[in-house]
Every structure is written in structure tokens, then in C-alpha cells.
Amino acid sequence: MAATGCGGGAGGGPGADQGAPGHGGAGFPVRVADCQGATTTFSTAPRKIVTSNAAALEMLLRLGAGDRVIGTGFPPGKGTLPGGLDAGARKVPVLSKSVIPKEKLLGSGADLYIDSFAAMKIMGKAGDAPTAEEFKAAGIKHLYLASTACAPMADKPQRDLSGVEGDIKRLGAVTGTAERADALVAGMRAKVGKVRRAVGDIPAGKRPTYFFFDYDAGTKQPVAVCHKQVANAVIGQAGARNVFEGCDGDFKPVSWEDVVAKNPDWIQLGVRNRGDAKANAEAFDEAAAFLKSFPATKGLAAVRKEKFLRIGSERTTVAGVGTADAVEEIAHTIHPERFKAAR
């Protein structure tokens, strides 16, 4: 298996190579490259896994490898994962509500750490991340979610979901659940393919402009999603145009004057999942109320006409199966006539 690295279209990065069947079972050994190209070999599937955050945990749960997760950081809130995944997530010990402290991670007994934060040496004042030597001494292999961890250092924008698909396939290869990974990716491609057939012929200049408003990042200074963030791919695949696609990197603080100058046709109220439908609805209402009352934004046409999309942040900016769902929902909202015609 050859997996895409460093996000969609950003070649030369992380990948997984399923070698010939070895003593670890069919599909092993598996070789995985990190963001800088250093390779780690898995001769057998890991049995004790620690995940850096809810995104990595959700992928393992969907792959059927959740029973091997012995701890996580940034845990999903109760009720934030769909269906039966929530019950599985509740069984996973929480090693930290933010970044797992270095000492706790190294002493966890894990044989694999799945990391979404390669570019971030310090997060939440939890201390420096372990070095490669420290991981090796603790017997922990280190695997990155390339579509998020490697995105800031990629040499090309993310314009499709191949980076997310690569992460899922990579985890499937490493955990011995490749068939399940293929099925998950096939489901994503089917959804995105239907959208592409409906809206893919719309020229870039005629696509509605789109602003992802990260409400939970704070309202004093907005944070834009730039062209290396997976949200840029989600927006583009849905037939819209990210108003900040010109900025380099994954995220960038901007000003409200910048947002007003872009005058977006649509605004996504990017709210993180609160754990239940009522709390989510209240958070979306708060985000909309802010835009309608804030002097800089209340005059925007999108705000006056309430051209808002109430889609959770995680499904748009975090790698996972949910990114395909976000593509579908955005497209159906901003191009309803295209899908009526398809029916």
C-alpha cells in the first residue's frame, strides 16, 4: 500500500508501505515515515496504544482497534462521538485533558503513540514533547497523523481529502485492520464523489466565498484557516472558495477588517461539540448572535441574510471520516439546486 503524505497533494511526506507477509502476520512488516521522512518499521501490530487527541482515538475506534488504546490526551467530551463510538471512548483512560505530560507519556507502557501535533513543541504548557531517543528508550514507536501534524510544513496546499484518507489507511496498515480502513475510505470517496459530480464543474471565480468562523478560538481576533489546513480541502471539495485560501500555513490570526474586506457569501459557525444537541444549538446561537451584534460584522450581507452553516469545528478542521460528511453538508447547503437536479 502506498499512502499519501503531508496532506492532500503534498508529496514527499509520510507514508506506509505494506511489505510482504512476515512473522507479524499478513501485511507486515509495515514501514511508516514521519514528517521529515524518517522511517519506523512495525513487524507486528501494536497492542498498547496512546492517542494524542480525540481525532486519533476516533480513527482507531472506527477501525475496530479501540480496545488496544490504553490512554489519550484531549479526550472527546461525553456524547461528542457519534453512535456506539461514544461508549468505546468512555472506556479509554484519560492521561490528560490537554497535551499528555512527557513523563506520563513515556511511563504509560504504550508501544505506540499516535501524534496529531508534530509541529508543536509545547502545547497547553504541558512541557516539551519527548525526543526520538526518549521514545526509543521507552519502547514507544511514534506515528503522526500527517494531514494535521505535517500540514504546516507541507510544500503544497490541501485541496482534497487524500491526506485524511492516507492517515486512515496508514493506521489500518499499522494496526492490522487494513480491510476496515479500505472500507472507511471507500465510504468517504463515495460521498465526496457524488458532491464532485454535482458541483465540480463550477469555475473557481463563480464559486461562493466561504469564511470558517472559529468561534471557540475567541472573538477578539479571528483565526483564519489557510490553504494547508484540511478545512481548505473540505471547503473546496464542497464547491465553495475559502476566503483565506491565499494565506500560507494551516491557521493564521487575522483582523476583523480582513474578514469584512473579504465579504464572504457564506459563514460557517465553527463551534466545537458540547456533548449534546441542546448545548450545541445554544453555542451556534451564541456565535450567530455575536456576528449580528458586533459592529464590524453586523453589516455583512451574509450576516444580515443569516447565511450561516451550523457545522461543528471538528468535522471540518480535524482529520477523520467526518470530513467527508462536512463536504456533503456544505455542498447541499450552498448548492441546493445542483442536488435537486441530480434527483
Side-chain angles (χ1 to χ4, degrees), residues 117-136:
F117 309 123
M120 307 176 193
K121 290 293 185 183
I122 300 176
M123 286 193 62
K125 299 181 180 179
D128 290 328
T131 64
E133 293 74 20
E134 288 171 328
F135 274 123
K136 184 176 180 180

